[in-house]
Amino acid sequence: MPIISDARTALRLADRLLKSRRSRRDLARRLPSVAAPAPGTVEIAVYFADGPVNMYQVRQWYAPLAELAATHPVAIIARSPGTMLTLLDESPVPVVYARQVVDLEQFVEEQAPKIVFYVNQNARNFQMMRYGRMWHVFVNHGESDKMYMTTNQFKAYDYALIAGDAARGRLSDALWDYDLDARTISIGRPQADHFVGAAPYPADDRTVVLYAPTWEGDRAAAAYGSIASHGTTIAERVLASPTHRLVYRPHPRSGVRDAAYKAAHERIVAAIASANAADPGAHHVYDDGAGLGWQLAGADVAITDISAMIYDRLAVGKPLIVTRPVSPEADVDERGYLSDANWLTASDAQDVVARVDAAANDAAELAKLQHWVERYFGDTTPGAATKRLHDAVERLLARWQTVAAARGED
């Protein structure tokens, strides 16, 4: 077994190397025709050091960034050639390639941004955070009750834009000597103001079930993924029902570390194809697209793992079921919404259709959801979160001017 494992690791590394070389070659051809932002024009930079597999973390900020750029020019800094290629095709704001630290130095010298946003906790964030005369602001890539949301790394940033009261409560409980009032600003979920896209199925009488599991995780405490434990049964039961429609949207990293998890994912994808072939009018969906919107807003009931998808769905205020991790080592924080969640255990998955129908018609469950919507996101009136984001940016820029003037550096 160790020999087989080593061989698989070697093959993965070789494949990764080939893809990296191809990306660098393709990018070298494209970069000469990419117009760089004029010096001194970028006020807000978004720093993204990850590869293409984590593009979902920055994609969800596209629409808010595009709107923000109308008043304060924004650019995304990419460190990976594969990511840069993807951003060149997708990003609604300019993109700057900074593969090496010297490239970051040149960007800072030419642009002198006043704010830098960070959407994750990549260790390479510190290569950007070494520069002063700018606010380093953690904006994250979603709201959740994962342990990731209370990491002491929050202290590394000048400020953090958080969702609402639930986030404040988590941070207050977890972090020692952290000034929440001075260093956090609540903005809600501005991405929810930009949920777009038409559903790829007809408006009919079928109950639409969104199953949006997370990946298997990189350690036992973060083993929240349900594809192998719950997912194949959920898919089997929903696909077998003539009155339900399955929309399957797995985390893009599903199966990257665990072959059995990947195999379970592939069985679900194959089952969807088979069900649609048997009944073309069913319009079940395997969704691996970049955009997120219609999936959350259109589903009658959503089934998610412990992940940011819970909270994206929560902001919609529609029925939600959460899978209970099978791993006893999974770290489940049940002090917030998860203390009141509609849990689905692996053994309950065989009754998922009945659970879905109950959740879709439970007035008490919907009323309970509204309480948690307010707790996590505050005012979810369309446009309210976007206004709070813009107000936060204005506040940070005003603070920058005040500090720069006091230091004689404005």
Side-chain angles (χ1 to χ4, degrees), residues 21 44 139 169 182 224 302 323 342 366 370 391 403:
R21 287 177 175 173
I44 301 171
V139 298
Y224 302 119
T323 64
N342 186 353
L366 291 175
Q370 293 308 311
D391 288 347
V403 174

Side-chain angles (χ1 to χ4, degrees), residues 243-262:
T243 59
H244 293 74
R245 172 173 295 120
L246 178 65
V247 176
Y248 174 53
R249 183 182 173 86
H251 189 291
R253 289 182 61 83
S254 296
V256 297
R257 294 178 59 89
D258 186 332
Y261 202 83
K262 181 179 181 180

Side-chain angles (χ1 to χ4, degrees), residues 78-89:
R79 304 295 307 277
S80 154
T83 295
M84 182 65 180
L85 284 167
T86 304
L87 286 167
L88 287 175
D89 292 334

Side-chain angles (χ1 to χ4, degrees), residues 5-23:
S5 177
D6 289 345
R8 287 173 176 167
T9 299
L11 286 173
R12 284 198 298 269
L13 290 173
D15 182 60
R16 191 178 305 163
L17 179 62
L18 288 173
K19 287 180 179 177
S20 178
R21 287 177 175 173
R22 190 181 309 120
S23 293

